[in-house]
């Protein structure tokens, strides 16, 4: 059960730890990698829960279990990739290809992420701020939002607390380079259009679905559920003007939200497009068999120009396909279709179109077509041509035409004290508001991957892959300078670098970073009133 007033230390959006992946595996994936990571002892099994406290023991499982794809596979297609991408800190994605393509082609695209104002922004949030800002610099319509409704409903924060933190997140985002003239900043509670969209999306989702995804139950309060549909609306908000590839940079704990958002985006569409072979409906697992049967028509059809479903059924019955269950049902469907020709076509089916939109679709389909009650079969259109037409008809008839949103996932930083980075253990993380001297001190007293003695370190080298200090270099302190990050790594594992000096250098860089950052925050503080974001709510105490 999720209780809206439970607020244990770990329930903080971005501060969960990197459970770490065995260092060999990570190093092997790219020999130029300079990223760190720590194997937190006793890390949990993989479980993706946006409000949970589990750590991620093994990022590879995310690929296998949840279908998150490895970022390395798209990396070569990304123009001037960000250093977090180059260093494998951004390790996974869903459907990032259309975003990369838009970047290469100079087409419209968007980037959006959200922040629950539950505490001070820290170096974990900085990664996400940087990801939004980088996409903005690559040409994205960029959005940063304050998830105040979620903080209130899911975490039970008061509006006064929320107001204070909201301002602070916005200041850090601006100080790191977000351009508010080009991009948009909003609070969920102040965005009427967003809430209208959330309402519409809520009509497509139901309680048992949320229960299954998020472990909600009958005791879960309604506002909590509302905050979920609000996040769905956040994710689709950049497409309200027109559909465009949109990337949501987040931690992997947010993946359940991404899957639901991608699902809802599809469910909101007026039409769907599939491949079909005859008038009957085929299941996805039956389609490859029908394709196989069609391709083999020379073998069995009396007239290979016009194979009949019944003939294909007889052929398929004696065939050895991968899925026997699917074969049985496919054979049955083909048998029932009897003399009907087996003929590939692109099917556009009605999901939730108005009558007028369905009529318009029929008109818009070029070439040979056949019209049924709930679908149109097009014989001269490819799937992508059909999708294009379906989206245009939807847009012309008042629909959203959403593209499924994409996501990228970054590793969680390890706590400076080893194990978890947690906002309730100040020494484990560095807040962007920390006094530079405190930041310096925290780095100086951080756990390292060093050996017991200097002698041993010189001989065997340090364990940079298990060192939170090295992680600071890779994730933050080296910035865009790969050479520097590599140098630290090589010197460490080669035994030339000792932890005392290494930490001193990192601590100085951290203090410098905090000082600069806070100066820029102060400059923005002066200009905050001019921005188009309402940072103070006048809500009743609750
Ligand atoms: N749920 C996110 C968190 O816990 C915050 C959030 C709200 C968000 N809306 C979003 C993140 C949209 C990404 C996109 O941190
Ligand atoms: Fe970590 Fe630096 Fe020590 Fe290497 S030398 S283990 S990177 S602190």
């Amino acid at each position: 059960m999720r209780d809206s007033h439970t607020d244990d230390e770990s329930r903080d959006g971005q501060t969960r730890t990197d459970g770490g992946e065995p260092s060999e595996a990570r190093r092997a994936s790219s020999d130029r990698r300079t990223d760190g990571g720590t194997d937190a002892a006793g890390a949990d099994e993989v479980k993706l829960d946006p409000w949970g406290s589990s750590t991620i023991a093994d990022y590879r499982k995310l690929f296998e279990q949840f279908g998150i794809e490895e970022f390395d596979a798209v990396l070569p297609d990304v123009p001037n990739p960000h250093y977090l991408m180059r260093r494998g800190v951004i390790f996974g994605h869903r459907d990032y290809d259309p975003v990369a393509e838009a970047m290469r082609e100079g087409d419209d695209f968007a980037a959006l992420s959200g922040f629950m104002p539950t505490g001070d922004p820290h170096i974990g949030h900085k990664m996400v701020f940087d990801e939004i800002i980088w996409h903005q610099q690559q040409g994205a319509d960029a959005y940063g939002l304050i998830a105040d409704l979620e903080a209130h409903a899911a975490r039970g924060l008061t509006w006064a607390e929320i107001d204070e933190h909201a301002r602070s997140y916005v200041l850090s985002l601006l100080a790191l380079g977000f351009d508010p003239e080009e991009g948009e900043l909003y609070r969920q509670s102040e965005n009427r259009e967003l809430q209208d969209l959330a309402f519409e999306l809520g009509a497509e989702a139901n309680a048992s679905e949320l229960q299954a995804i998020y472990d909600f139950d009958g005791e879960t309060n309604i506002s909590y559920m509302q905050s979920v549909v609000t996040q769905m609306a956040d994710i689709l908000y950049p497409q309200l003007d027109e559909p465009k590839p949109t990337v949501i940079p987040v931690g992997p704990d947010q993946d359940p939200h991404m899957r639901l958002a991608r699902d809802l985006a599809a469910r909101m569409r007026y039409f769907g497009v599939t491949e079909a072979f005859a008038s009957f409906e085929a299941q996805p697992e039956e389609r490859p068999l029908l394709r196989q049967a069609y391709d083999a028509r020379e073998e069995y059809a009396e007239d290979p120009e016009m194979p009949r479903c019944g003939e294909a059924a007889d052929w398929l019955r004696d065939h050895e396909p991968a899925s026997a269950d699917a074969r049985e049902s496919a054979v049955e469907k083909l048998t029932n279709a009897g003399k009907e020709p087996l003929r590939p076509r692109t099917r556009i089916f009605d999901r939730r179109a108005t009558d007028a939109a369905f009529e318009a679709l029929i008109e818009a389909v070029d070439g040979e077509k056949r019209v049924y009650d709930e679908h149109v079969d097009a014989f001269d259109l490819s799937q992508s041509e059909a999708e294009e037409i379906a989206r245009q008809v939807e847009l012309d008839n008042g629909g959203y035409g959403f593209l499924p949103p994409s996501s990228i996932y970054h590793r969680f930083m390890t706590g400076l004290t080893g194990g978890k980075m947690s906002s309730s253990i100040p020494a484990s993380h560095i807040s962007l508001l920390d006094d530079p001297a405190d930041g310096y001190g925290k780095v100086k007293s951080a756990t390292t991957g060093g050996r017991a003695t200097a002698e041993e370190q010189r001989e065997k080298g340090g364990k940079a892959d298990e060192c939170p200090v090295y992680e600071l270099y890779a994730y933050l302190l080296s910035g865009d300078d790969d050479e520097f990050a590599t140098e630290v790594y090589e010197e460490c594992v080669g035994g030339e670098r000792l932890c005392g000096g290494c930490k001193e250098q990192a601590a100085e860089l951290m203090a410098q970073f905090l000082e600069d950052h806070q100066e820029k925050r102060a400059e923005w503080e002066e200009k905050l009133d001019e921005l188009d974001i309402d940072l103070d709510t006048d809500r009743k105490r609750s």
Side-chain angles (χ1 to χ4, degrees), residues 447-451 457 462-464 466-471 473 488-489 491-493 497-500 502-503:
T447 311
T448 72
R451 306 284 173 175
Q457 178 116 342
K463 292 188 268 186
E466 295 169 30
C467 178
V469 178
Y470 177 68
E471 231 177 77
Y473 280 104
V488 172
Y489 187 89
E491 286 178 3
C492 169
V493 299
R497 188 174 262 266
L498 298 184
C499 297
C502 183
K503 288 208 277 188

Side-chain angles (χ1 to χ4, degrees), residues 282-541:
Q283 296 302 313
E285 62 277 11
E286 293 162 355
R287 283 189 204 119
L289 300 178
L290 298 171
R291 160 65 58 194
Q292 245 180 315
Y294 179 75
D295 289 345
R297 61 193 179 282
E298 300 278 349
E299 289 180 34
Y300 59 77
E302 203 175 295
D303 176 5
E305 297 279 293
M306 199 191 276
R308 308 282 174 172
C309 289
E311 293 173 315
D314 293 338
W315 178 85
L316 193 57
R317 198 176 288 118
D318 303 329
H319 212 70
E320 268 304 311
S323 160
D325 286 352
R327 176 177 58 180
E328 214 168 291
S329 57
V331 165
E332 193 183 323
K333 287 179 183 175
L334 286 167
T335 308
N336 291 339
K339 290 236 174 320
E340 188 187 337
L342 183 71
R343 194 176 162 204
R345 68 207 59 196
T346 297
R347 175 160 299 165
I348 310 175
F349 60 92
D350 184 350
R351 228 197 281 262
R352 62 201 298 276
T354 55
D355 289 347
F358 193 61
E359 287 304 318
L361 176 79
I362 296 168
E363 276 300 299
V365 170
D366 297 324
E368 190 186 343
K369 60 188 148 191
R370 200 153 296 170
V371 176
Y372 299 83
D373 271 359
E374 309 258 299
H375 64 258
V376 182
D377 282 358
F379 293 90
D380 302 325
L381 291 179
S382 68
Q383 284 207 31
S384 61
E385 288 165 336
E387 263 155 31
E388 187 89 1
I389 289 170
R391 176 169 281 112
Q392 199 52 55
V393 169
E394 178 176 344
L395 291 171
D396 293 345
N397 285 272
Y400 298 106
F402 291 133
L403 292 168
S406 314
S407 49
I408 52 177
Y409 301 109
H410 59 78
R411 292 171 192 276
F412 294 119
M413 273 180 160
T414 309
L416 295 174
T417 41
K420 251 186 175 123
M421 190 180 266
S422 163
S423 23
S424 70
I425 310 172
S428 78
H429 77 285
I430 292 173
S431 155
L432 298 178
L433 276 59
D434 272 350
D435 191 85
D438 291 343
Y440 176 94
K442 285 182 188 178
V443 177
K444 284 286 272 201
S445 35
T447 311
T448 72
R451 306 284 173 175
T453 63
E455 197 179 29
E456 192 188 344
Q457 178 116 342
R458 284 204 191 84
E459 195 183 309
K460 297 186 185 153
K463 292 188 268 186
D465 285 312
E466 295 169 30
C467 178
V469 178
Y470 177 68
E471 231 177 77
L472 291 178
Y473 280 104
Y475 287 41
L476 191 154
L477 300 173
S478 306
D480 210 36
D481 189 347
D482 285 351
E483 232 169 273
F484 179 50
T486 310
E487 184 184 296
V488 172
Y489 187 89
E490 300 293 340
E491 286 178 3
C492 169
V493 299
E496 295 152 53
R497 188 174 262 266
L498 298 184
C499 297
C502 183
K503 288 208 277 188
E504 174 64 29
Q505 186 180 18
E508 279 167 18
L509 289 168
M510 184 61 78
Q512 190 61 52
F513 161 73
L514 290 171
E515 200 178 311
D516 290 350
H517 182 66
Q518 288 163 18
E519 237 166 65
K520 295 199 187 104
R521 279 177 56 103
E523 286 164 23
W524 275 107
E525 182 100 58
E526 304 282 300
K527 298 186 277 186
L528 210 50
D529 291 346
E530 299 159 26
L531 298 186
D532 184 24
I533 176 168
D534 191 351
L535 287 166
D536 299 302
T537 43
D538 41 15
R539 295 190 172 229
K540 296 267 182 266
R541 242 203 89 218

